[in-house]
Amino acid sequence: MHFGSLFRKKRRTLALIDIGSASVGGAYAAFADDDMPVILYTAREEIRMREDSLLLSDLERALSDLLGRLTREGAAALARGTGSGAVDDILVSVAAPWEKTDIDVRIVERKSAFTFSHALISETFGKEEARLEPGRVLTDHAVIATLLNGYETNEPFGKRATRAELVVLTTTLLEQAALAIKGAIARAYNRKSMRVVGFPFVAYTVFRDVYPHERDYLIVDVTGEATAVSLVKRGILVDVATCSCGLNDLLRLAHAHAGAGEAGALPDMRRLADDAVATRVDDTRLGEARETWRTRFRETLADFASRFPLPRVVFLLSDADVRPFMQRLIVETPLPELRLSDEPFSVIPVAPEQLAPYIHTRGEAHADEFLSMLALFANKSTEQVSVR
């Protein structure tokens, strides 16, 4: 079916690429005025899981396979859906452990009133760039909240104040990972122009709009090699932390506890996870792994709790086959000393159907919450996609 008639107004098409440490995903989406985004093609490739640790070459291999599918099958599907297989922009989302998201509050205070301007934003971003850690490169930054004279405003430009507080989000990538990711995508599309953002920024932006009634919550994104935890207070993202307690670590610990041999990549590690999720019973193979994950998760929350009251609501992002397992781990993590309450977290596992009212999935696309979130983020953004 041809969907081009839906986009006779201003239409743009994007290649959306989601990079994690368990898999990489890609999609083609079309955007038009006064309509929801339409995803016309999706694909996902697993990243090889090793018994010891993830290698950058494993990401490169999976990304190469994904880009091959996107440029062959995906471009044809996009052409069938819109009349053209070309894309206007490329948006790339990168999750931990490849990316790092920092949240800082920058204060500008003067004795006499000043006019809030774009130059003030540029000056603030310049100071953030000067503080980059060695071995990391800046990929994106944004002002996610602005307070003038103590009052939050969504339209600060042109207004006068004596004090401005800017909540600045900065995303950096490991330099070698950035070179590998951008290089592979540039070769596949024969273009250098792309925007690379951190997944915590994507998740926060989407949840802020989809769940406007929720003002205080945690976003727990369980990837293969890490778990990223974002804290939102009064609707503003205030902190992001990453702990080395991803799904792969759980599987490695459980596999070692079972007395496995020393092989590079073991398929039965995946089956172990499937069995554990399917039965959802106490398994001696997973006991040590569970406690290790809980300990690292608790340490991350303890750092948050030293500065902010912990909320009760948790949005859980993880692969579909492990959502019940991870939900149980979070609920069963004892935290009364941190939350001053015996009530467990209220965990909301995020699935594609929760985003379905805000996006169309058609043609050769399959429901994928991570790619759907990336499409919603792209639809929200008013900036021209550009290389950073």
Side-chain angles (χ1 to χ4, degrees):
M1 181 180 291
H2 182 72
F3 300 110
S5 60
L6 296 175
F7 309 113
R8 286 175 181 163
K9 295 183 180 181
K10 293 180 180 179
R11 184 195 71 192
R12 62 188 179 119
T13 56
L14 266 69
L16 307 172
I17 300 174
D18 167 58
I19 296 176
S21 55
S23 68
V24 292
Y28 285 121
F31 302 80
D33 291 345
D34 303 322
D35 200 359
M36 293 188 293
V38 180
I39 298 181
L40 297 165
Y41 177 85
T42 58
R44 189 162 288 278
E45 293 282 343
E46 285 189 0
I47 297 176
R48 178 188 184 189
M49 184 177 63
R50 297 177 179 271
E51 190 174 352
D52 46 7
S53 61
L54 181 67
L55 300 178
L56 182 58
S57 59
D58 298 325
L59 169 63
E60 292 178 289
R61 185 180 300 108
L63 183 57
S64 176
D65 291 342
L66 173 71
L67 291 170
R69 292 175 63 185
L70 286 173
T71 54
R72 294 190 306 270
E73 305 165 9
L78 180 62
R80 286 190 290 272
T82 66
S84 172
V87 297
D88 297 309
D89 299 307
I90 302 171
L91 177 61
V92 185
S93 168
V94 184
W98 316 111
E99 69 83 39
K100 183 173 183 288
T101 297
D102 291 300
I103 308 294
D104 293 296
V105 178
R106 301 302 174 201
I107 298 174
V108 179
E109 191 167 20
R110 297 172 185 170
K111 292 182 179 179
S112 57
F114 60 90
T115 302
F116 193 92
S117 65
H118 289 280
L120 188 64
I121 298 288
S122 298
E123 181 183 345
T124 301
F125 285 165
K127 292 178 180 178
E128 296 299 322
E129 293 177 24
R131 282 187 280 266
L132 287 179
E133 299 175 20
R136 306 194 70 88
V137 295
L138 175 71
T139 58
D140 193 62
H141 45 199
V143 174
I144 58 175
T146 305
L147 288 81
L148 298 182
N149 293 337
Y151 295 94
E152 185 179 359
T153 175
N154 293 326
E155 299 179 357
F157 296 106
K159 294 182 178 178
R160 294 180 63 79
T162 56
R163 178 185 173 92
E165 299 174 60
L166 288 74
V167 181
V168 180
L169 177 147
T170 303
T171 301
T172 59
L173 294 187
L174 292 169
E175 186 173 10
Q176 292 303 313
L179 291 172
I181 291 169
K182 291 184 177 181
I185 296 171
R187 289 190 297 272
Y189 288 96
N190 194 28
R191 60 192 291 178
K192 293 183 179 179
S193 178
M194 69 187 75
R195 184 182 180 190
V196 181
V197 298
F199 184 71
F201 185 25
V202 173
Y204 163 66
T205 302
V206 171
F207 289 152
R208 182 183 57 190
D209 291 344
V210 173
Y211 298 96
H213 58 286
E214 295 289 354
R215 303 291 291 169
D216 301 282
Y217 53 88
L218 294 168
I219 303 172
V220 179
D221 178 27
V222 184
T223 67
E225 298 294 325
T227 295
V229 185
S230 302
L231 175 62
V232 177
K233 299 293 293 182
R234 285 181 281 189
I236 298 175
L237 181 64
V238 297
D239 208 346
V240 179
T242 301
C243 58
S244 58
C245 51
L247 177 62
N248 290 354
D249 292 292
L250 275 164
L251 299 178
R252 291 185 187 111
L253 285 166
H255 194 269
H257 190 67
E262 297 180 0
L266 301 171
D268 62 319
M269 294 171 75
R270 286 291 181 190
R271 290 199 296 271
L272 175 63
D274 294 339
D275 291 342
V277 173
T279 58
R280 279 189 277 174
V281 298
D282 289 334
D283 188 329
T284 55
R285 295 177 299 170
L286 287 174
E288 179 185 346
R290 284 195 190 99
E291 189 52 41
T292 299
W293 191 92
R294 288 194 188 106
T295 298
R296 295 173 183 172
F297 182 58
R298 191 185 299 114
E299 289 171 352
T300 301
L301 296 187
D303 180 61
F304 283 170
S306 67
R307 290 169 287 125
F308 308 98
L310 290 181
R312 183 168 181 262
V313 174
V314 175
F315 290 105
L316 170 63
L317 289 159
S318 64
D319 291 340
D321 58 346
V322 296
R323 278 191 210 118
F325 179 66
M326 295 310 306
Q327 181 178 8
R328 182 183 175 190
L329 270 184
I330 294 173
V331 170
E332 292 181 350
T333 300
L335 298 167
E337 74 283 4
L338 300 181
R339 295 190 58 241
L340 303 178
S341 171
D342 291 331
E343 291 186 19
F345 281 122
S346 174
V347 180
I348 303 173
V350 180
E353 50 266 26
Q354 290 159 267
L355 304 174
Y358 310 99
I359 199 160
H360 296 299
T361 302
R362 296 176 179 168
E364 299 174 41
H366 300 284
D368 183 308
E369 63 269 32
F370 297 98
L371 293 172
S372 292
M373 291 171 68
L374 194 51
L376 291 173
F377 176 85
N379 198 45
K380 178 75 174 180
S381 175
T382 58
E383 294 182 359
Q384 176 69 24
V385 176
S386 60
V387 69
R388 296 284 177 165

